Amino acid sequence: MPHAHIILRMTQEDGSVDALVRQRLRALRLAQGWSLDELAERSHLSASTLSRIENGQRRLALDQLTSLARALDTTLDQLVETDVADVVIRPTREEGGRLLRWPMRSDPNLTVLRRRLVDPVSDGPTGLRAHAGKEWLMVLSGAVTLRLGNRRFLIEADQAAEFPTMIPHAIGAAGGPADILGVFDRDARRGHSRPIG
């Protein structure tokens, strides 16, 4: 039985796991905008049973958790998951500290970058890149120029841009240093890791 080890672990640990599961049940119900009666109808449990489960007045039983997981459109594993890894993701520093890179644990295909730009975009073909993938960026401070082929776009603080990366593109500071936050998929990250030229 695939979930037996999880239930066994719940019975062996202190009440913090039990409390976590109860909080999660309530949070999932409220996120759906459901009353106890609405969840009772979907899970085939009584509203009073659900109330006692959420309030810690009733023992958590495997059959009830299975019904609740199904009704709340989740899995039993997700409902009772207790292994919360370190949620803080520390960046790696590159380019003398001007670039910070964070891998996305939830999606290894995505990378988040924060970059400090000081140089403007050049007018010639130097620095233009074209590659597969998707890019999204937001200006945190200052302003930047995004060059897409022969067009230029000014992006100011708190504005974002998303563009097709198969168009030759470059980005640079506009009128002073600027900080940007970018999200790259695997193809875009690979395209930016290759030398220009």
Side-chain angles (χ1 to χ4, degrees), residues 38-180:
E38 289 171 308
L39 180 56
E41 186 177 325
R42 289 173 166 81
S43 64
H44 307 293
L45 299 170
S46 71
S48 62
T49 297
L50 292 175
S51 177
R52 290 196 304 273
I53 288 173
E54 286 186 6
N55 293 323
Q57 299 168 348
R58 184 178 179 107
R59 184 178 73 77
L60 294 171
L62 179 59
D63 59 336
Q64 292 171 337
L65 288 176
T66 302
S67 296
L68 288 167
R70 193 171 23 255
L72 291 164
D73 195 26
T74 188
T75 66
L76 184 60
D77 287 336
Q78 290 173 326
L79 192 59
V80 300
E81 178 61 50
T82 60
D83 184 22
V84 179
D86 184 5
V87 297
V88 178
I89 302 173
R90 289 156 188 85
T92 57
R93 294 183 179 271
E94 301 172 20
E95 297 180 10
R98 285 181 22 187
L99 184 139
L100 301 176
R101 182 187 307 263
W102 296 268
M104 296 288 284
R105 289 183 184 145
S106 60
D107 186 346
N109 292 319
L110 295 179
T111 300
V112 178
L113 299 173
R114 179 176 177 157
R115 173 174 254 144
R116 179 118 174 124
L117 300 173
V118 293
D119 298 322
V121 172
S122 66
D123 290 326
T126 306
L128 289 175
R129 294 178 183 269
H131 53 81
K134 296 178 183 174
E135 289 185 33
W136 178 93
L137 68 91
M138 184 178 87
V139 178
L140 300 173
S141 67
V144 300
T145 302
L146 171 64
R147 184 173 164 201
L148 290 177
N150 294 324
R151 299 183 65 194
R152 288 174 178 259
F153 300 89
L154 179 67
I155 309 167
E156 298 178 315
D158 297 328
Q159 293 181 330
E162 186 174 6
F163 55 92
T165 56
M166 289 302 287
I167 298 174
H169 59 278
I171 187 165
D179 290 299
I180 63 170

